[in-house]
Amino acid sequence: MRHDVKKVKDNFDILGDFISAAPYGSGHINDTYRVVVDQGGTEVHYIFQRINHNIFKNPPALMDNIRRVTDHINSKIHDEDEASRHSLYVIRTTEGKPYYHDLDGNFWRAYIFIEKAMTYDIIESEQQAFQAAQAFGTFQKELVDIPGKRLHETIPDFHHTPRRIAMLEAAIAADVMDRVKSAQPEIDFVLKRKAEAEILIKLQEQGQLPERITHNDTKLNNVMIDDETGEGICVIDLDTVMPGLIHYDFGDMVRTSTSPAAEDEKDLSKVYMQFNMFEALLRGYLSTAGDFLTPVEKEYLPFAGKLVTLTIGLRFLTDYLQGDIYFKTRHDEHNLDRCRTQFKLIESIEQQMDKMKTLLDSID
Ligand code: ADP
Ligand code: GN1
Ligand code: MG
């Protein structure tokens, strides 16, 4: 293990003796550990995370967002048992802070471990899709009335697709790894769709789409599904909760919860949008978020999946060209493999666009 997690534990307000810590989960950004502590003969679990401060430049501001968001959600739940599983709970340090800054410059946080629930990397059933979307919709709804000042932008322009394309173009021009020649079809794929990349940003600029508090990373494996009931009980991975468009959340659900294949599947014939999963997502999302969405927000839900899949796909491509400096990778072409699945999925989404719109109209 790369870090002395026992020492980190001693700085949090957690009673009992440290037993063990092991890397956990399949996130691409932070270092996550499942920590076991002996509390009077009982083994209690925690999640510890080292925040990736190369990516999140201001961890104290980020933790301020998370503290405000989790406090606000918790304040709406009156049953204590339910509260501990419905929202992440940020454990304070012995000094009362929501993070620990170690001597090597790392920032750590600790959460109560949500038991008897799991995250899934690949969708298994329509029920899961419905539940995940319902949970993310509830999350947005709970944050509509968060008090206080605007949340910090933990990564500026995170979902600004035109600026992401500009970053890709800069990476193509620099070509530091001499990889452009091995990714020409993928580069062309993005450049062909440049005009569409501006649609939502323009509507926002014209005042037709409202800024809201959104999660911005609504991957299927960022929602915990209850082992017994199958319910989507808790939205996790709150680093990117900040002002955004609701389409970024719905779109990332489509990206991660409709294809039967892994994000890095090499056999592209396995990658496509299953329409029944899209329908389950749409119904689940509207069952909660439907209460506050405007007609224009609803109208662009079918387009959202395409836009977000394009954005994430081109971010994988940019990282490939830049030498894999952002996402965790396991081999040289890992980001390119991920990019290819995204673009294959976009083709499938494009083929089903009319059907998605017809479904949406029939629900309205
Ligand atoms: P990353 O930003 O790297 O994706 P996440 O916050 O999503 O990190 O955490 C990685 C994984 O750890 C999640 O997919 C989930 O399986 C697990 N996890 C995170 N927080 C908790 C928690 N409070 N209780 C149980 N499991 C958790
Ligand atoms: C990252 O942290 P994780 O693995 O849930 C990334 C998302 C991407 C996703 C692609 C802060 O999410 O934006 O969509 O990988 N998070 C950040 O799988 O960049
Ligand atoms: Mg995650």
Side-chain angles (χ1 to χ4, degrees):
M1 202 161 34
R2 288 198 296 133
H3 303 107
D4 184 354
V5 183
K6 180 185 179 310
K7 202 162 150 205
V8 176
K9 181 254 166 209
D10 291 339
N11 284 278
F12 279 95
D13 188 13
I14 295 176
L15 298 174
D17 297 325
F18 176 90
I19 300 180
S20 63
Y24 197 73
S26 49
H28 296 339
I29 306 294
N30 296 309
D31 294 326
T32 303
Y33 294 93
R34 179 175 175 271
V35 174
V36 186
V37 174
D38 178 347
Q39 291 180 352
T42 303
E43 290 195 355
V44 180
H45 306 137
Y46 295 90
I47 284 285
F48 279 33
Q49 282 179 323
R50 187 185 74 94
I51 301 169
N52 185 330
H53 59 261
N54 291 325
I55 289 178
F56 298 104
K57 306 287 184 206
N58 188 347
L62 178 155
M63 287 311 295
D64 191 49
N65 277 2
I66 296 185
R67 182 193 55 74
R68 285 177 59 197
V69 164
T70 52
D71 281 355
H72 184 65
I73 294 176
N74 278 320
S75 73
K76 298 197 175 204
I77 309 163
H78 301 298
D79 175 335
E80 234 177 70
D81 277 355
E82 200 201 326
S84 69
R85 304 189 80 230
H86 177 67
S87 168
L88 284 176
Y89 184 88
V90 180
I91 298 169
R92 304 306 200 256
T93 64
T94 49
E95 292 176 349
K97 284 193 176 166
Y99 60 86
Y100 164 59
H101 193 188
D102 75 16
L103 294 175
D104 298 326
N106 294 312
F107 290 86
W108 291 87
R109 65 178 163 226
Y111 291 125
I112 290 179
F113 190 95
I114 297 167
E115 304 283 357
K116 299 192 181 111
M118 269 175 64
T119 53
Y120 295 82
D121 289 337
I122 302 180
I123 196 79
E124 291 177 355
S125 66
E126 286 172 24
Q127 193 213 0
Q128 267 181 4
F130 184 95
Q131 286 292 330
Q134 187 171 56
F136 284 123
T138 301
F139 182 83
Q140 287 180 344
K141 194 169 150 182
E142 285 171 336
L143 294 177
V144 164
D145 61 349
I146 188 169
K149 57 185 193 316
R150 193 170 181 265
L151 290 181
H152 305 283
E153 288 189 45
T154 57
I155 301 179
D157 295 331
F158 191 56
H159 277 290
H160 196 301
T161 318
R163 292 202 185 129
R164 291 287 186 183
I165 293 180
M167 287 157 87
L168 171 65
E169 287 172 329
I172 296 168
D175 197 13
V176 289
M177 302 295 290
D178 196 23
R179 285 178 169 178
V180 165
K181 60 180 182 304
S182 57
Q184 202 55 55
E186 289 73 24
I187 292 170
D188 294 344
F189 186 97
V190 179
L191 300 182
K192 243 172 89 182
R193 288 163 179 78
K194 239 175 139 173
E196 280 175 296
E198 296 182 354
I199 293 178
L200 296 188
I201 292 284
K202 285 212 167 128
L203 287 170
Q204 186 180 10
E205 282 167 4
Q206 292 159 5
Q208 295 196 56
L209 287 175
E211 175 180 286
R212 299 193 185 274
I213 301 302
T214 48
H215 182 283
N216 297 304
D217 189 5
T218 56
K219 259 166 109 159
L220 179 63
N221 69 14
N222 285 333
V223 60
M224 310 267 330
I225 309 275
D226 188 285
D227 291 343
E228 254 174 46
T229 65
E231 280 173 80
I233 50 161
C234 182
V235 165
I236 61 169
D237 201 346
L238 306 180
D239 296 319
T240 52
V241 178
M242 58 182 156
L245 298 178
I246 57 100
H247 305 89
Y248 303 148
D249 285 359
F250 187 72
D252 208 40
M253 294 179 218
V254 175
R255 181 183 80 82
T256 59
S257 307
T258 64
S259 171
E263 195 181 55
D264 57 359
E265 174 61 58
K266 276 181 173 291
D267 179 354
L268 294 181
S269 71
K270 293 185 178 156
V271 181
Y272 57 97
M273 185 181 87
Q274 304 175 92
F275 194 80
N276 62 329
M277 296 300 179
F278 173 80
E279 176 163 359
L281 285 177
L282 187 63
R283 291 189 187 279
Y285 180 62
L286 290 178
S287 73
T288 44
D291 293 354
F292 66 85
L293 296 182
T294 68
V296 184
E297 283 182 306
K298 278 191 194 162
E299 186 188 333
Y300 283 89
L301 288 175
F303 175 66
K306 177 173 172 180
L307 182 79
V308 174
T309 310
L310 181 68
T311 310
I312 310 301
L314 79 87
R315 285 175 56 201
F316 287 140
L317 179 58
T318 307
D319 199 32
Y320 171 71
L321 297 180
Q322 291 181 328
D324 311 313
I325 53 178
Y326 186 97
F327 296 104
K328 289 184 181 174
T329 50
R330 285 190 300 276
H331 56 87
D332 274 1
E333 299 224 319
H334 207 166
N335 271 317
L336 189 57
D337 289 345
R338 289 169 175 154
C339 160
R340 287 178 173 148
T341 61
Q342 305 308 294
F343 294 173
K344 178 70 198 308
L345 183 60
I346 290 176
E347 285 171 352
S348 174
I349 294 175
E350 285 173 344
Q351 283 158 14
Q352 300 180 75
M353 194 58 79
D354 290 343
K355 229 169 120 187
M356 289 192 280
K357 289 183 180 160
T358 308
L359 173 69
L360 178 66
D361 291 343
S362 77
I363 296 177
D364 264 4

